Amino acid sequence: MPSTTLRALNGFDQTPATLADSTLVLIDYQRTYTTGVMELEGWRPALDSAATLLGRARAAGAHVIHVQHDGGEGTPYDIRAEIGEIHPAVAPADGESVIVKQAPNSFHGTDLAEQIEAAGRGHLVIAGFMTHMCVLFTSEGAFLRGHHPTVVAEACATRSLRSPSTVLTAHEIHHGALATITDLYGIVVESAHDLG
């Protein structure tokens, strides 16, 4: 049986965010992850879920921020090239911010914290690519800044990775990252339909 989470031991709120009172942070839904060397397992259903989440957030009046990773020219994260573009399924609408980052934690070296503060909505709904990297570390960053992140699991995806002794499947990596978030950094819900 799983042990008690650090969130529970610390008495942290276990209530998922409601979209109307939140900032939605969509992380790295770039073409980078839909083709080529960085193609993620399960990216299509995750992207479809993200599009549903974005539609529900807009309808609820949530503040929406898109995050895009820039790895520089010639990389799979080149935002000046088609490969680094935000996928059209979740493209920013007029008035929605796009923050460009260069580290897994979307707060590092960006004005994300200032934009969230200006919006006046410290509850965050987070989803994106990759679960074990930018979603996890942005959730940690949000938690450490006193925000209340809720991660939408089915709108996230990742890839298989090799450890020193074995290969971990994308499924294992994805759920391991979500378990880490659940243990301390935030609340994880399965889909956009689990948000108020």
Side-chain angles (χ1 to χ4, degrees), residues 19 22-29 50 53-54 57 62-68 90 97-99 101 104-107 110 112-113 115-117 119 121-129 134-135 137-139 142 147-152 155-156 195:
L19 286 169
S22 296
T23 297
L24 173 63
V25 182
L26 297 176
I27 304 170
D28 298 352
Y29 285 109
L53 172 61
L54 178 56
H63 183 70
V64 178
I65 298 175
H66 302 260
V67 179
Q68 190 176 19
V90 290
S97 297
V98 178
I99 290 175
K101 66 176 178 61
N105 179 345
S106 300
F107 291 92
T110 74
L112 178 58
Q115 289 200 32
I116 292 168
E117 183 176 346
R121 300 179 188 192
H123 288 271
L124 306 184
V125 175
I126 297 173
F129 297 154
C134 298
V135 172
F137 289 107
T138 299
S139 298
H147 299 300
H148 305 281
T150 298
V151 174
V152 181
C156 302
L195 301 168

Side-chain angles (χ1 to χ4, degrees), residues 23-100:
T23 297
L24 173 63
V25 182
L26 297 176
I27 304 170
D28 298 352
Y29 285 109
Q30 294 165 246
R31 293 181 186 271
T32 305
Y33 293 116
T34 66
T35 186
V37 67
M38 291 302 298
E39 183 174 358
L40 303 183
E41 295 176 42
W43 70 264
R44 171 55 72 182
L47 184 64
D48 291 344
S49 178
T52 298
L53 172 61
L54 178 56
R56 289 174 63 92
R58 286 170 174 163
H63 183 70
V64 178
I65 298 175
H66 302 260
V67 179
Q68 190 176 19
H69 191 87
D70 185 11
E73 291 186 25
T75 72
Y77 300 93
D78 184 355
I79 65 171
R80 290 153 293 278
E82 183 179 354
I83 191 70
E85 291 176 355
I86 294 174
H87 195 282
V90 290
D94 289 344
E96 293 176 353
S97 297
V98 178
I99 290 175
V100 176

Side-chain angles (χ1 to χ4, degrees), residues 156-180:
C156 302
T158 193
R159 68 194 206 281
S160 299
L161 293 173
R162 180 175 295 281
S163 78
S165 60
T166 190
V167 173
L168 298 170
T169 67
H171 179 83
E172 291 169 325
I173 296 290
H174 173 75
H175 287 283
L178 295 174
T180 299

